[in-house]
Short mmCIF file of all heavy atoms in Angstrom, two decimals:
data_model
loop_
_atom_site.label_atom_id
_atom_site.label_comp_id
_atom_site.label_asym_id
_atom_site.label_seq_id
_atom_site.Cartn_x
_atom_site.Cartn_y
_atom_site.Cartn_z
N ILE A 20 2.76 -8.47 -4.73
CA ILE A 20 3.76 -9.17 -5.54
C ILE A 20 5.11 -9.22 -4.83
O ILE A 20 5.89 -10.14 -5.01
CB ILE A 20 3.88 -8.56 -6.96
CG1 ILE A 20 4.48 -9.58 -7.92
CG2 ILE A 20 4.67 -7.27 -6.96
CD1 ILE A 20 4.37 -9.20 -9.38
N MET A 21 5.37 -8.23 -3.97
CA MET A 21 6.60 -8.21 -3.19
C MET A 21 6.66 -9.43 -2.27
O MET A 21 7.70 -10.11 -2.18
CB MET A 21 6.67 -6.92 -2.37
CG MET A 21 7.95 -6.72 -1.64
SD MET A 21 8.03 -5.07 -0.91
CE MET A 21 7.66 -5.46 0.79
N THR A 22 5.57 -9.74 -1.61
CA THR A 22 5.51 -10.91 -0.72
C THR A 22 5.66 -12.19 -1.52
O THR A 22 6.37 -13.11 -1.11
CB THR A 22 4.18 -10.91 0.05
OG1 THR A 22 4.08 -9.69 0.78
CG2 THR A 22 4.09 -12.08 1.01
N SER A 23 5.01 -12.27 -2.67
CA SER A 23 5.10 -13.46 -3.51
C SER A 23 6.53 -13.69 -3.98
O SER A 23 7.00 -14.84 -4.01
CB SER A 23 4.17 -13.35 -4.71
OG SER A 23 2.83 -13.30 -4.29
N LEU A 24 7.22 -12.63 -4.37
CA LEU A 24 8.61 -12.78 -4.81
C LEU A 24 9.48 -13.34 -3.69
O LEU A 24 10.33 -14.19 -3.92
CB LEU A 24 9.16 -11.44 -5.30
CG LEU A 24 8.71 -11.01 -6.68
CD1 LEU A 24 9.03 -9.54 -6.92
CD2 LEU A 24 9.35 -11.88 -7.76
N TRP A 25 9.23 -12.90 -2.47
CA TRP A 25 10.03 -13.40 -1.35
C TRP A 25 9.65 -14.84 -1.00
O TRP A 25 10.51 -15.70 -0.88
CB TRP A 25 9.88 -12.50 -0.12
CG TRP A 25 10.59 -13.09 1.05
CD1 TRP A 25 10.02 -13.63 2.17
CD2 TRP A 25 12.00 -13.25 1.21
NE1 TRP A 25 10.99 -14.11 3.01
CE2 TRP A 25 12.22 -13.89 2.45
CE3 TRP A 25 13.10 -12.93 0.43
CZ2 TRP A 25 13.49 -14.20 2.92
CZ3 TRP A 25 14.37 -13.24 0.90
CH2 TRP A 25 14.55 -13.87 2.13
N GLU A 26 8.35 -15.10 -0.83
CA GLU A 26 7.92 -16.42 -0.38
C GLU A 26 8.20 -17.53 -1.39
O GLU A 26 8.56 -18.63 -1.02
CB GLU A 26 6.43 -16.39 -0.03
CG GLU A 26 6.14 -15.60 1.23
CD GLU A 26 4.67 -15.49 1.54
OE1 GLU A 26 3.81 -15.88 0.71
OE2 GLU A 26 4.35 -14.99 2.64
N ARG A 27 8.03 -17.25 -2.66
CA ARG A 27 8.20 -18.29 -3.69
C ARG A 27 9.62 -18.39 -4.23
O ARG A 27 10.06 -19.46 -4.63
CB ARG A 27 7.24 -18.03 -4.85
CG ARG A 27 5.80 -18.14 -4.45
CD ARG A 27 4.92 -17.95 -5.66
NE ARG A 27 3.54 -17.77 -5.25
CZ ARG A 27 2.54 -17.54 -6.08
NH1 ARG A 27 2.77 -17.48 -7.38
NH2 ARG A 27 1.31 -17.38 -5.63
N TYR A 28 10.31 -17.26 -4.29
CA TYR A 28 11.61 -17.24 -4.97
C TYR A 28 12.77 -16.74 -4.10
O TYR A 28 13.91 -16.73 -4.54
CB TYR A 28 11.54 -16.36 -6.23
CG TYR A 28 10.46 -16.78 -7.18
CD1 TYR A 28 9.21 -16.19 -7.15
CD2 TYR A 28 10.67 -17.80 -8.11
CE1 TYR A 28 8.19 -16.58 -8.01
CE2 TYR A 28 9.68 -18.19 -8.99
CZ TYR A 28 8.44 -17.58 -8.93
OH TYR A 28 7.44 -17.96 -9.79
N ARG A 29 12.46 -16.28 -2.90
CA ARG A 29 13.45 -15.69 -2.00
C ARG A 29 14.17 -14.51 -2.65
O ARG A 29 15.39 -14.32 -2.50
CB ARG A 29 14.47 -16.73 -1.51
CG ARG A 29 13.85 -17.78 -0.61
CD ARG A 29 13.35 -17.15 0.66
NE ARG A 29 12.90 -18.12 1.64
CZ ARG A 29 11.66 -18.13 2.14
NH1 ARG A 29 10.78 -17.24 1.76
NH2 ARG A 29 11.31 -19.02 3.03
N ILE A 30 13.39 -13.71 -3.37
CA ILE A 30 13.91 -12.49 -3.99
C ILE A 30 13.33 -11.32 -3.20
O ILE A 30 12.12 -11.20 -3.03
CB ILE A 30 13.49 -12.40 -5.47
CG1 ILE A 30 14.13 -13.54 -6.27
CG2 ILE A 30 13.88 -11.04 -6.05
CD1 ILE A 30 13.65 -13.62 -7.71
N GLU A 31 14.22 -10.45 -2.73
CA GLU A 31 13.81 -9.31 -1.91
C GLU A 31 13.96 -8.02 -2.71
O GLU A 31 15.07 -7.57 -3.00
CB GLU A 31 14.65 -9.25 -0.64
CG GLU A 31 14.15 -8.26 0.36
CD GLU A 31 14.89 -8.34 1.68
OE1 GLU A 31 15.91 -9.05 1.76
OE2 GLU A 31 14.44 -7.69 2.62
N VAL A 32 12.82 -7.45 -3.10
CA VAL A 32 12.77 -6.17 -3.80
C VAL A 32 11.56 -5.41 -3.27
O VAL A 32 10.64 -5.99 -2.70
CB VAL A 32 12.65 -6.32 -5.34
CG1 VAL A 32 13.89 -6.95 -5.93
CG2 VAL A 32 11.42 -7.08 -5.72
N LEU A 33 11.55 -4.11 -3.49
CA LEU A 33 10.43 -3.29 -3.06
C LEU A 33 9.45 -3.13 -4.22
O LEU A 33 9.83 -2.72 -5.31
CB LEU A 33 10.92 -1.91 -2.60
CG LEU A 33 9.83 -0.92 -2.20
CD1 LEU A 33 9.07 -1.43 -0.98
CD2 LEU A 33 10.42 0.44 -1.93
N ALA A 34 8.21 -3.49 -3.97
CA ALA A 34 7.14 -3.28 -4.95
C ALA A 34 6.10 -2.39 -4.27
O ALA A 34 5.61 -2.72 -3.20
CB ALA A 34 6.52 -4.60 -5.38
N SER A 35 5.82 -1.25 -4.89
CA SER A 35 4.93 -0.26 -4.28
C SER A 35 3.83 0.18 -5.22
O SER A 35 3.98 0.12 -6.44
CB SER A 35 5.72 0.99 -3.90
OG SER A 35 6.74 0.70 -3.01
N VAL A 36 2.75 0.64 -4.60
CA VAL A 36 1.68 1.30 -5.35
C VAL A 36 2.22 2.67 -5.78
O VAL A 36 2.75 3.42 -4.96
CB VAL A 36 0.43 1.48 -4.47
CG1 VAL A 36 -0.62 2.31 -5.17
CG2 VAL A 36 -0.13 0.11 -4.08
N TRP A 37 2.12 2.97 -7.08
CA TRP A 37 2.61 4.25 -7.58
C TRP A 37 2.10 4.51 -8.97
O TRP A 37 2.08 3.58 -9.77
CB TRP A 37 4.14 4.28 -7.59
CG TRP A 37 4.68 5.61 -8.01
CD1 TRP A 37 5.12 5.95 -9.24
CD2 TRP A 37 4.77 6.77 -7.21
NE1 TRP A 37 5.51 7.24 -9.26
CE2 TRP A 37 5.30 7.79 -8.03
CE3 TRP A 37 4.45 7.09 -5.90
CZ2 TRP A 37 5.53 9.08 -7.57
CZ3 TRP A 37 4.69 8.37 -5.46
CH2 TRP A 37 5.22 9.34 -6.27
N PRO A 38 1.71 5.66 -9.38
CA PRO A 38 1.51 6.83 -8.54
C PRO A 38 0.22 6.73 -7.71
O PRO A 38 0.08 7.38 -6.70
CB PRO A 38 1.46 7.97 -9.53
CG PRO A 38 0.91 7.36 -10.78
CD PRO A 38 1.43 5.95 -10.78
N ALA A 39 -0.71 5.91 -8.17
CA ALA A 39 -1.95 5.67 -7.42
C ALA A 39 -2.46 4.30 -7.82
O ALA A 39 -2.16 3.80 -8.91
CB ALA A 39 -2.99 6.74 -7.74
N SER A 40 -3.22 3.68 -6.95
CA SER A 40 -3.79 2.36 -7.24
C SER A 40 -4.64 2.45 -8.50
O SER A 40 -5.35 3.43 -8.69
CB SER A 40 -4.63 1.92 -6.05
OG SER A 40 -5.10 0.62 -6.24
N PRO A 41 -4.54 1.52 -9.42
CA PRO A 41 -3.88 0.23 -9.39
C PRO A 41 -2.45 0.23 -9.94
O PRO A 41 -1.88 -0.83 -10.13
CB PRO A 41 -4.79 -0.64 -10.25
CG PRO A 41 -5.23 0.29 -11.33
CD PRO A 41 -5.40 1.63 -10.62
N GLY A 42 -1.88 1.41 -10.19
CA GLY A 42 -0.51 1.49 -10.69
C GLY A 42 0.48 0.97 -9.67
O GLY A 42 0.24 1.04 -8.46
N ARG A 43 1.59 0.43 -10.14
CA ARG A 43 2.61 -0.08 -9.23
C ARG A 43 3.96 -0.12 -9.91
O ARG A 43 4.07 -0.18 -11.14
CB ARG A 43 2.24 -1.46 -8.70
CG ARG A 43 2.02 -2.50 -9.79
CD ARG A 43 1.41 -3.75 -9.23
NE ARG A 43 1.19 -4.70 -10.30
CZ ARG A 43 0.97 -5.98 -10.11
NH1 ARG A 43 0.94 -6.46 -8.90
NH2 ARG A 43 0.77 -6.79 -11.13
N VAL A 44 4.99 -0.07 -9.08
CA VAL A 44 6.37 -0.09 -9.57
C VAL A 44 7.19 -1.06 -8.73
O VAL A 44 6.85 -1.38 -7.60
CB VAL A 44 7.02 1.32 -9.52
CG1 VAL A 44 6.36 2.26 -10.48
CG2 VAL A 44 7.03 1.87 -8.11
N LEU A 45 8.29 -1.48 -9.32
CA LEU A 45 9.25 -2.36 -8.66
C LEU A 45 10.56 -1.59 -8.57
O LEU A 45 11.04 -1.06 -9.57
CB LEU A 45 9.44 -3.63 -9.49
CG LEU A 45 10.32 -4.70 -8.89
CD1 LEU A 45 9.54 -5.45 -7.82
CD2 LEU A 45 10.77 -5.65 -9.97
N ARG A 46 11.13 -1.51 -7.37
CA ARG A 46 12.39 -0.81 -7.18
C ARG A 46 13.51 -1.82 -7.04
O ARG A 46 13.55 -2.58 -6.08
CB ARG A 46 12.35 0.07 -5.94
CG ARG A 46 13.64 0.81 -5.72
CD ARG A 46 13.53 1.75 -4.55
NE ARG A 46 14.79 2.43 -4.37
CZ ARG A 46 15.55 2.31 -3.28
NH1 ARG A 46 15.15 1.54 -2.29
NH2 ARG A 46 16.66 2.95 -3.20
N VAL A 47 14.40 -1.83 -8.00
CA VAL A 47 15.55 -2.72 -7.97
C VAL A 47 16.74 -1.90 -7.49
O VAL A 47 17.08 -0.88 -8.08
CB VAL A 47 15.84 -3.32 -9.36
CG1 VAL A 47 17.08 -4.19 -9.32
CG2 VAL A 47 14.64 -4.10 -9.85
N SER A 48 17.36 -2.34 -6.42
CA SER A 48 18.52 -1.66 -5.87
C SER A 48 19.75 -2.54 -6.13
O SER A 48 20.02 -3.48 -5.39
CB SER A 48 18.32 -1.44 -4.36
OG SER A 48 19.41 -0.75 -3.83
N ALA A 49 20.46 -2.22 -7.18
CA ALA A 49 21.63 -3.02 -7.57
C ALA A 49 22.77 -2.76 -6.61
O ALA A 49 23.06 -1.63 -6.25
CB ALA A 49 22.04 -2.65 -8.99
N GLN A 50 23.41 -3.84 -6.19
CA GLN A 50 24.54 -3.76 -5.29
C GLN A 50 25.73 -4.51 -5.88
O GLN A 50 25.56 -5.36 -6.74
CB GLN A 50 24.17 -4.36 -3.93
CG GLN A 50 23.04 -3.66 -3.22
CD GLN A 50 23.37 -2.22 -2.86
OE1 GLN A 50 24.51 -1.90 -2.49
NE2 GLN A 50 22.41 -1.33 -2.95
N ILE A 51 26.89 -4.21 -5.40
CA ILE A 51 28.11 -4.83 -5.93
C ILE A 51 28.12 -6.34 -5.75
O ILE A 51 28.74 -7.07 -6.52
CB ILE A 51 29.37 -4.17 -5.32
CG1 ILE A 51 30.59 -4.53 -6.15
CG2 ILE A 51 29.52 -4.54 -3.85
CD1 ILE A 51 31.79 -3.66 -5.89
N TYR A 52 27.43 -6.84 -4.72
CA TYR A 52 27.43 -8.29 -4.46
C TYR A 52 26.38 -9.03 -5.29
O TYR A 52 26.33 -10.25 -5.26
CB TYR A 52 27.22 -8.59 -2.97
CG TYR A 52 26.06 -7.88 -2.35
CD1 TYR A 52 24.75 -8.33 -2.51
CD2 TYR A 52 26.26 -6.73 -1.58
CE1 TYR A 52 23.69 -7.67 -1.94
CE2 TYR A 52 25.20 -6.07 -1.00
CZ TYR A 52 23.92 -6.54 -1.18
OH TYR A 52 22.86 -5.87 -0.61
N ASN A 53 25.53 -8.32 -6.04
CA ASN A 53 24.59 -8.97 -6.94
C ASN A 53 25.29 -9.25 -8.27
O ASN A 53 26.16 -8.50 -8.69
CB ASN A 53 23.36 -8.10 -7.20
CG ASN A 53 22.54 -7.89 -5.95
OD1 ASN A 53 22.33 -6.78 -5.52
ND2 ASN A 53 22.06 -8.97 -5.36
N ASP A 54 24.88 -10.35 -8.93
CA ASP A 54 25.43 -10.62 -10.25
C ASP A 54 24.30 -10.73 -11.27
O ASP A 54 23.13 -10.77 -10.92
CB ASP A 54 26.33 -11.86 -10.25
CG ASP A 54 25.59 -13.13 -9.87
OD1 ASP A 54 24.57 -13.44 -10.51
OD2 ASP A 54 26.05 -13.82 -8.94
#
Side-chain angles (χ1 to χ4, degrees):
I20 201 168
M21 186 172 102
T22 302
S23 296
L24 283 166
W25 175 251
E26 289 177 351
R27 296 183 192 178
Y28 304 95
R29 293 295 187 238
I30 295 173
E31 190 173 9
V32 295
L33 177 64
S35 301
V36 173
W37 184 261
S40 185
R43 58 191 179 163
V44 294
L45 184 78
R46 180 176 180 243
V47 177
S48 182
Q50 298 296 323
I51 196 164
Y52 50 79
N53 295 121
D54 62 54

